[in-house]
Amino acid sequence: MSASDKPRDRAGPMLTAAKLWRRTSAKGTEYLVGRLGGLKVLVMENRDRQGEDDPTHVLMFAEAPPRNAGGR
């Protein structure tokens, strides 16, 4: 069975919403960043995690600078 013949999730096919790049902050923290239309997308480790039931990462959005403004 090839990859294209495998059964899909009941919700339907997976779609790429954004492409992300790994970055490292000045403090050495790794995070993922990309764009989703006019939004800047960040995936960061949850530093406020208190226990196993808390999420390991958080998804954040910010207004993205125009592409011609030199932003990433």
Side-chain angles (χ1 to χ4, degrees), residues 4 8 13 22-23 27-28 39-40 43-44 47 49 52 58 60-61 63 72:
S4 62
R8 296 285 185 174
R22 185 181 324 239
R23 299 284 188 242
K27 294 182 179 181
L39 295 174
K40 181 177 182 179
V43 178
M44 304 174 75
R47 294 185 293 167
R49 192 168 188 231
E52 291 296 316
V58 293
M60 303 173 84
F61 297 110
E63 185 176 350
R72 289 186 176 204

Side-chain angles (χ1 to χ4, degrees), residues 5-24:
D5 295 331
K6 290 185 180 178
R8 296 285 185 174
D9 180 66
R10 291 178 194 243
M14 299 288 282
L15 303 173
T16 299
K19 294 180 180 179
L20 305 174
W21 286 260
R22 185 181 324 239
R23 299 284 188 242
T24 304

Side-chain angles (χ1 to χ4, degrees), residues 41-55:
V41 177
L42 294 110
V43 178
M44 304 174 75
E45 187 173 347
N46 183 2
R47 294 185 293 167
D48 298 326
R49 192 168 188 231
Q50 300 293 315
E52 291 296 316
D53 291 337
D54 290 339

